[in-house]
Structure formats: C-alpha cells, structure tokens
Amino acid sequence: MTDLSNRKPETGAFFSRDRLWHPPGLTPGYKTSVLRSPQKALLSLDGTVSEITGPVFGHAMLGELDNDLIHNFAKPGESAIGERIIVHGRVLDERARPVAGALLEFWQANAGGRYRHKKESYLAPLDPNFGGCGRTITDEDGHYAFRTVKPGPYPWPNGVNDWRPAHIHFSVFGHGFAQRLITQMYFEGDPMIWKCPIVQTIPDRAAIEQLVAALDWGNTIPMDARAYKFDIVLRGRRSTLFENRMEGN
Amino acid sequence: MVQPLGTLKESASQTAGPYVHIGLTPNFSGITGVYESDLGATMVNDRTLGRRITITGRVLDGTGTPLKDALIEIWQADAAGLYNSPSELRGSADPNFSGWGRSATDGENGEYRFETVKPGRVPFRDGRLMAPHVSFWIVARGINLGLNTRLYFGDEAAANAEDPVLARIEHRVRVPTLIAAADGDSYRFDIHLQGEKETVFFDI
C-alpha cells in the first residue's frame, strides 16, 4: 500500500453523515430490509484514529484488464455481447476536492440481466465471455474510467412483478474507513428507475438523481462505444485546525 | 445572501445486494481468472509481528437466522497500535500487516473468518487509550447503508473497563454485544442485526 500523493496526508475527522439523505435502515417496500435493519438508535462517535485512517491501494495491484469488463473474462479474441459503453467520472469529496488513489470496484449483470452467481436462477442466459467484475484506482485528479457492456434490467422476488433498472454496483474506498461506501449507478432516461423499491429507499429525489449517470456524447467513441459520466462524492473531512490539542501541549 | 459553502452532497448509499461477491470476492463466488486472488483475503504473512489470532462469527437477522450473503470488512491497528494508513501520523506501522481484511459469510453455514493479529491500543480523541478493538463494516442484501461496529476482546477486561467508547453506551446491558468471546487465540463475535441481542452499531 502506498500513498499516491505528495500532499500532506489529511487527518481531520469526517463531516457527519447526513442520514436523512441516505436511505434509512428500515424500508419495508424493500422487503429484505425488514429483518435486517437495526431497531435501536446508532451510537454517535466522532472519528477517532480508528475511523479517520483507512487502507490505501496502489496502482501496482491492478491487472491490465481489470477495468475492461468486455475482455477480462473473455476467451482470447472474443468479447462480451451487448451495448459497448465507457463509464467514467471523478471521485470527489464533499468539499469538491478530488480523491486520488481511491479504489473502485464494480459489478453488474450481463446485457440480458443475468448475473454470474450460483444463487442466481433467472432464465436469461449467461454470456460465456462476460464475468461481471472490474476495478480501478483514481488518478491524481480523482478520475477513473472502465469499459463494459450496458447491463440489462432484471426481475427479482420482492413484489410480484418487480424489476431492477439497469444498474452497476460500485464499491468505493476513500482515505478513511469511515468513507467506505457502496452504491449503485443508474442510466439516464431509464423509466425503470422510478418504479424500483431499492431506488425508493432513498427519500430525497435529488439524492436519487445524483446516482443517475448522464449520457456523455462528447466522450462517445464513434463506431465503438458510447460514454456515460458518473461522479461519486465521498464524505469531506474537517481541517485539523485547533483539533486534538490536549491542554498543556 | 451569504457566501455559498461550495460543498457537495455525499453519494447516497444503496444495498450491496445478494451478488456483492461477484465484485468484491469473485474467486470465492467462482469467477476465477480475472483477479489472482480476492482482495483482503490475507492480512498477515510469515514476518507479521504480534500474536496470531482468529476471529469467526455469524451475522444474524431479526429471527436469529444467519445471513449467508453478507460481506464483512475489518480495519485494525497492528500489534504496536499503529494503522497501516497514510493518515497515521504517530509512526510507521508493521509493513507486513495490512490492517484490512474482507470475508464473505459462508453460503452454507453463514460463518465469516479472519486470520489476523491482536491489535495494540490506540488513543481516543482526547489522548486516553482505547481498549484493543477491531472496526467492522457489514454490507448485505437488505442493508441499505453499511453498518459500523467494533469488536472488543473478552480477555481484555481491564482495558475494556476504561475504554472511552464503551463508556458512552448508556444501556450497560448492551456493552457485551461488542465483546468477542475468547478461547485461546480464537475469538467468536456474532453480530445481531436486530432484536433483544441487537449489536451496538455506530454512526461514525
């Protein structure tokens, strides 16, 4: 693990999480949350060294095809079937500063909405050239990019006729364990977004719209792949002015 | 009007879903050949300093049923009480200890497992030492925002008694939910998502 930046490491505690913006634990429209949500209040804890530190990953751990889902599971000379897209964007913090060296991991279904997972039984077929996982690390300016096929919507046993919108799951590490975040990216214009009980766990429409990637025509590669732009915002952190100075020090 | 703060809103969390393993532990889920090994599967090597320990347990829902699709990450100090992080300013952590691990719960019995070392003590914000602890982050289908908790060690009664975080738990009957049972070098830590034995979760 290496620090990718020459900047002085930041050690301030993180801004408190806005839990009216995030989904609450109990969201009965999403049935599995009913038995998996705590019923007692959370215990508030202003960040100690245990929360403001976190693992940092170096670019050296990445394989050449880690950010290319079209090819990283495909047989030599073959590629995954589906709408070829590039997903790119920046990881920023709440102060709008780039988060360099952030590890992003993503996973998704194939173009037909089928996941490569033993517990998945949807009748849409697997694509023999598509695994569905990838990862990358942001550069000095917080930029990332990967290429994949656009996932299909898929049905799930929640309501009688519930379907997930097309989505890509994102797991994000910032610089502190308290910044750890998993979210989902949706696609501009998908009417399924507004029917989904998982999307609707988020109470604020503006928070949902922040998870919808825009079609980025400017970065679309002619005759090859369309681009979608998806920025991710992690918690900001306080400056360390007047912090942690014990009396007498 | 006042000057704008210029701040952004954090991206809202969404559940990791039932297929989180595809992305975070692909080899565990049978997707081999993409990554050499699953990230966070190994925390120690032959040269890691400190006492080797094993942490195992399950995550249980409101009916007491173990989750077979949860994913747990832990973050902890090394044996000397230093974190392997650029934000650690007190000294250099053991280079042979990552401090971070990731384990999926078993698809059959719901058990998670970490091979690690017993962490040293680290200071609270005011400089008092906290008891040895391991930070946990739990995601799964049905969990909308990752849950944070801490494991403390059952064989550290004196340190636990003066821990400033444990001291803030008003309902003292809930303190034992954060204490792992010790059996030699093995520690068992079950996490109850809701109900009478509900684990204390933190807003960190």
Side-chain angles (χ1 to χ4, degrees):
Chain A
M1 298 190 187
T2 50
D3 187 5
L4 299 159
S5 168
N6 292 323
R7 281 184 221 113
K8 196 174 148 203
E10 296 182 294
T11 56
F14 293 100
F15 296 168
S16 58
R17 215 162 218 165
D18 182 353
R19 288 178 180 268
L20 299 175
W21 178 259
H22 286 284
L26 176 62
T27 49
Y30 174 27
K31 292 182 180 179
T32 314
S33 75
V34 173
L35 285 170
R36 293 185 172 194
S37 46
Q39 295 167 325
K40 297 179 173 66
L42 303 180
L43 182 68
S44 298
L45 174 62
D46 193 19
T48 73
V49 66
S50 304
E51 288 77 35
I52 65 180
T53 57
V56 172
F57 303 88
H59 288 79
M61 68 172 261
L62 298 175
E64 205 177 325
L65 294 178
D66 281 8
N67 67 342
D68 184 356
L69 283 70
I70 293 179
H71 295 108
N72 69 10
F73 193 77
K75 289 185 268 303
E78 300 188 14
S79 59
I81 290 173
E83 300 178 37
R84 296 163 61 92
I85 58 170
I86 291 161
V87 179
H88 75 106
R90 296 177 81 195
V91 179
L92 306 165
D93 74 7
E94 288 171 297
R95 301 164 305 170
R97 297 192 195 187
V99 182
L103 173 67
L104 303 182
E105 296 163 284
F106 17 84
W107 67 101
Q108 63 169 89
N110 69 21
R114 174 73 186 265
Y115 283 95
R116 186 173 288 279
H117 194 282
K118 54 183 175 286
K119 288 192 176 171
E120 157 73 283
S121 57
Y122 181 36
L123 47 78
L126 287 169
D127 176 346
N129 289 311
F130 188 75
C133 62
R135 61 187 178 186
T136 190
I137 292 175
T138 58
D139 68 14
E140 275 290 288
D141 299 316
H143 287 288
Y144 76 92
F146 62 96
R147 125 170 115 162
T148 186
V149 294
K150 190 177 175 191
Y154 97 106
W156 59 299
N158 185 65
V160 173
N161 188 24
D162 279 339
W163 293 70
R164 297 300 324 281
H167 64 281
I168 299 176
H169 297 264
F170 277 71
S171 164
V172 192
F173 286 82
H175 297 166
F177 202 54
Q179 282 180 306
R180 201 72 185 82
L181 181 72
I182 279 182
T183 187
Q184 300 182 27
M185 181 197 109
Y186 304 101
F187 291 85
E188 178 181 357
D190 186 347
M192 308 285 294
I193 293 170
W194 308 103
K195 297 178 182 296
C196 175
I198 287 178
V199 173
Q200 285 167 1
T201 62
I202 300 172
D204 192 318
R205 188 180 172 100
I208 295 172
E209 287 172 347
Q210 193 178 326
L211 299 183
V212 182
L215 177 62
D216 177 7
W217 203 248
N219 277 305
T220 287
I221 303 173
M223 306 301 286
D224 183 345
R226 290 176 305 150
Y228 281 88
K229 183 164 185 289
F230 184 59
D231 287 343
I232 297 164
V233 181
L234 300 180
R235 296 168 70 177
R237 62 199 311 167
R238 302 200 297 258
S239 84
T240 46
L241 298 172
F242 300 100
E243 281 222 15
N244 277 341
R245 298 202 185 150
M246 283 173 281
E247 295 301 317
N249 278 10
Chain B
M1 295 297 286
V2 297
Q3 294 185 5
L5 285 171
T7 48
L8 305 173
K9 292 297 286 185
E10 186 186 10
S11 297
S13 176
Q14 291 269 262
T15 180
Y19 308 129
V20 59
H21 316 99
I22 293 173
L24 303 192
T25 54
N27 290 289
F28 170 86
S29 74
I31 300 176
T32 54
V34 182
Y35 310 145
E36 244 173 57
S37 59
D38 288 336
L39 204 59
T42 308
M43 299 179 69
V44 296
N45 64 32
D46 293 345
R47 288 166 293 165
T48 306
L49 303 173
R51 189 181 130 209
R52 304 306 169 100
I53 62 167
T54 302
I55 300 170
T56 57
R58 296 175 301 168
V59 183
L60 303 131
D61 74 11
T63 70
T65 305
L67 274 59
K68 295 169 182 174
D69 52 12
L71 184 113
I72 297 175
E73 290 182 8
I74 64 171
W75 173 241
Q76 63 164 95
D78 67 11
L82 294 168
Y83 282 98
N84 191 344
S85 167
S87 306
E88 171 61 88
L89 300 182
R90 297 169 299 139
S92 293
D94 180 355
N96 292 302
F97 183 62
S98 68
W100 174 77
R102 173 183 279 171
S103 173
T105 57
D106 186 271
E108 300 300 321
N109 60 23
E111 292 261 340
Y112 71 83
R113 182 180 182 86
F114 293 100
E115 311 277 346
T116 182
V117 295
K118 186 99 173 271
R121 296 179 73 171
V122 300
F124 190 59
R125 296 187 69 79
D126 61 7
R128 282 182 292 165
L129 285 179
M130 296 189 277
H133 63 274
V134 176
S135 298
F136 272 61
W137 182 72
I138 301 133
V139 293
R141 173 173 70 102
I143 296 176
N144 291 324
L145 174 60
L147 295 168
N148 292 101
T149 188
R150 284 184 173 193
L151 172 155
Y152 287 83
F153 295 89
D155 51 7
E156 295 281 352
N160 291 342
E162 61 183 24
D163 182 83
V165 175
L166 292 178
R168 287 171 57 173
I169 300 174
E170 178 189 354
H171 302 99
R172 301 310 293 168
V173 67
R174 301 194 65 205
V175 173
T177 69
L178 300 184
I179 315 284
D183 177 12
D185 293 327
S186 300
Y187 296 87
R188 183 149 190 97
F189 186 56
D190 282 344
I191 295 154
H192 296 263
L193 296 180
Q194 64 173 228
E196 266 185 45
K197 290 187 274 185
E198 184 174 308
T199 299
V200 172
F201 296 105
F202 294 92
D203 183 5
I204 62 172

